[in-house]
Amino acid sequence: MNAIQKQQLLQNVNQIDLVVLKSILDQGFITLDEFKEAGLDYNKVEELDSINKIKEQVTFNASEKQNVLNAINNNQSTVDEIQMNLSNGIITLADLQQSTNLSPKSIQLLTNLNSAGRTTIFKRIEDLPPMEEGKTDVYFVGVPGSGKSTILSGLLYMAHKKGLLLNNSHNQGGAQYQDLLINDMRKGLLPAATASGSYNYIPLSLQGEDGAHPLNVVEVPGENYNQMYNNGDVASFLNYINNDNKKIIIFVIDSLVHNEGYVNNANQLDQSLVYANILELFRSNQVLEKTDSVYIVVNKFDAIKNTRYFGDPRPDTELALDFVQDEFLAFINNCKNARENSKNQFKIKIIPFSIGDVQLSTFVNYINEEFCFNLLNNIINDSFIQKGGKSSKGWRIFN
């Protein structure tokens, strides 16, 4: 359309059909403001304005939908955000099925999460019964988000599946929490993060080839370990674990976050510094004098294996050892020094671990049973009642 044609059209604007006016507007030959200035009938102006707003809204909605789908595929969305976008109609169930990399299992869990539920139990340390004597105490040490609860869930699930988990009624609350973790993991749900200030104590026994291995499993929120690092008041925790039981201390490393340099977790403390400080706190309070084994579990191992060690043919145990020696050498040396100065020459083991294929930091498409059983077997072999027996595999030890 040239300038003469445009001028002629504007002069006769009220004689042109609304459909033709809309087509001219859509093609961008003439703007709605130019139609108004040319004296277009008010009712036609209102109609075109309404049509234009609907078109703009549709374009906006399509763009917003694509942004939401892109965020899901780039693992940048939470379950709550996706559920809100489903509720608001920005995306549909069909969009999730056709335009995302979510598995059918994840989509089903996502749309039924309210009925499935996620385990959250709050217990102060003052609410817990005293730990039973004559058992091996197992402590999970890790900063927030490192995966302590996830590892515990995987171990309990595997012990139950393999028929190794023996009932214990000393702490009914702990037994209920144990069952909830197993049930959620069987559904494919990771446990919700342990609430700040909340502790869990699960007394249990694991069946080994030589008999039952009684354990006191203590789960401590990551924030409490941050308090230890920052010289916070942890007297109640230290008092609670002060007994004559032998102990296994499991330091859980979030290898993914550490490997990325904490760029996406700017508020998280550097684990290589935190864990050395916590180890010293255990040493100075004589906890290490009763410790038989210190495990350094390289959690989220699959993530660094597929990035940092992509194509590396070495066994997982060698790769985990390489990672710890590269990134946590000072912590390792602190462990070795503490052992040399302890009457109890505890083992130091490096163990790779991954719960399996996880989506949206919530759903487990499949559980890596090999990693779960390996860690479980190490705990059985290193705990009370074990006298010799078979040597467990899947770990590296510092002599």
Side-chain angles (χ1 to χ4, degrees):
M1 180 181 294
N2 57 38
I4 295 176
Q5 291 173 321
K6 179 177 179 178
Q7 186 60 35
Q8 289 176 341
L9 190 149
L10 289 172
Q11 288 175 350
N12 299 286
V13 67
N14 284 310
Q15 299 174 19
I16 301 173
D17 185 79
L18 183 64
V19 174
V20 176
L21 292 176
K22 179 181 178 302
S23 175
I24 294 170
L25 192 64
D26 288 343
Q27 295 177 67
F29 294 139
I30 299 176
T31 67
L32 185 59
D33 285 338
E34 287 176 315
F35 278 143
K36 291 178 183 178
E37 292 174 2
L40 180 63
D41 181 77
Y42 175 80
N43 290 332
K44 289 184 176 180
V45 170
E46 287 292 298
E47 186 71 19
L48 289 175
D49 191 34
S50 176
I51 293 172
N52 203 36
K53 286 180 179 178
I54 292 173
K55 179 184 176 183
E56 289 176 353
Q57 185 62 42
V58 170
T59 302
F60 173 79
N61 287 346
S63 176
E64 186 177 11
K65 173 187 285 192
Q66 192 58 53
N67 289 338
V68 168
L69 296 175
N70 290 342
I72 294 172
N73 288 325
N74 292 328
N75 200 29
Q76 296 173 338
S77 286
T78 66
V79 169
D80 289 342
E81 289 171 344
I82 296 173
Q83 288 181 324
M84 181 181 67
N85 286 321
L86 283 169
S87 177
N88 292 340
I90 295 174
I91 57 174
T92 65
L93 185 59
D95 292 326
L96 294 179
Q97 294 167 336
Q98 299 168 11
S99 304
T100 72
N101 53 18
L102 296 180
S103 69
K105 182 178 180 180
S106 291
I107 293 173
Q108 184 177 12
L109 287 168
L110 177 70
T111 54
N112 293 287
L113 187 57
N114 288 335
S115 59
R118 295 189 72 194
T119 302
T120 54
I121 292 179
F122 186 89
K123 291 282 187 181
R124 301 177 305 163
I125 200 164
E126 295 83 4
D127 299 330
L128 301 179
M131 285 191 288
E132 289 184 296
E133 296 181 359
K135 294 189 171 189
T136 299
D137 298 342
V138 180
Y139 307 137
F140 286 85
V141 179
V143 297
S146 58
K148 301 181 299 300
S149 298
T150 294
I151 292 176
L152 176 57
S153 294
L155 295 180
L156 292 172
Y157 168 82
M158 183 54 54
H160 173 69
K161 182 175 180 179
K162 296 292 185 180
L164 305 178
L165 186 60
L166 305 178
N167 290 335
N168 187 301
S169 59
H170 175 64
N171 178 18
Q172 189 59 30
Q176 291 174 347
Y177 181 57
Q178 164 192 290
D179 292 348
L180 286 168
L181 290 177
I182 294 171
N183 191 39
D184 277 0
M185 185 59 67
R186 183 167 54 82
K187 294 175 185 174
L189 280 170
L190 293 183
T194 306
S196 178
S198 176
Y199 293 78
N200 288 299
Y201 162 41
I202 304 176
L204 57 89
S205 292
L206 297 175
Q207 182 65 49
E209 293 181 1
D210 56 349
H213 293 247
L215 306 175
N216 293 317
V217 179
V218 181
E219 185 187 30
V220 183
E223 289 80 4
N224 290 56
Y225 288 118
N226 283 351
Q227 287 181 26
M228 292 183 193
Y229 176 74
N230 293 316
N231 296 315
D233 182 11
V234 292
S236 58
F237 168 67
L238 293 173
N239 182 64
Y240 184 70
I241 67 173
N242 183 21
N243 57 40
D244 293 327
N245 290 341
K246 294 297 185 180
K247 307 181 192 304
I248 297 173
I249 302 176
I250 302 176
F251 286 90
V252 179
I253 293 175
D254 186 334
S255 64
L256 174 60
V257 168
H258 190 86
N259 190 57
E260 292 176 341
Y262 303 94
V263 292
N264 297 316
N265 299 73
N267 294 324
Q268 183 166 315
L269 298 171
D270 188 321
Q271 297 163 95
S272 63
L273 301 173
V274 174
Y275 294 162
N277 185 280
I278 294 172
L279 181 77
E280 172 58 23
L281 186 144
F282 284 147
R283 187 201 65 78
S284 62
N285 285 272
Q286 285 72 57
V287 176
L288 296 182
E289 296 294 336
K290 303 161 189 173
T291 297
D292 283 344
S293 297
V294 170
Y295 297 171
I296 301 172
V297 175
V298 184
N299 194 27
K300 306 179 184 177
F301 178 75
D302 282 355
I304 62 168
K305 184 177 179 179
N306 293 327
T307 52
R308 179 176 181 139
Y309 295 110
F310 181 75
D312 195 316
R314 288 178 291 173
D316 290 347
T317 51
E318 296 293 331
L319 297 179
L321 176 63
D322 182 89
F323 178 78
V324 172
Q325 287 181 320
D326 275 355
E327 302 291 343
F328 289 81
L329 185 58
F331 176 50
I332 289 295
N333 287 336
N334 273 274
C335 288
K336 294 167 72 175
N337 182 66
R339 180 177 61 186
E340 289 170 4
N341 291 282
S342 171
K343 64 181 181 182
N344 204 33
Q345 298 294 294
F346 53 83
K347 303 183 188 78
I348 305 171
K349 294 183 176 182
I350 312 298
I351 304 175
F353 188 90
S354 175
I355 195 62
D357 179 36
V358 176
Q359 291 191 315
L360 303 176
S361 302
T362 304
F363 307 126
V364 187
N365 286 323
Y366 75 87
I367 299 170
N368 191 317
E369 296 190 356
E370 181 179 353
F371 280 135
C372 291
F373 188 69
N374 170 53
L375 182 53
L376 187 70
N377 196 43
N378 273 278
I379 292 173
I380 291 174
N381 284 344
D382 290 335
S383 57
F384 181 72
I385 290 185
Q386 179 72 25
K387 302 182 187 303
K390 295 183 177 180
S391 175
S392 53
K393 300 178 181 180
W395 50 273
R396 288 298 303 269
I397 190 168
F398 284 95
N399 296 318

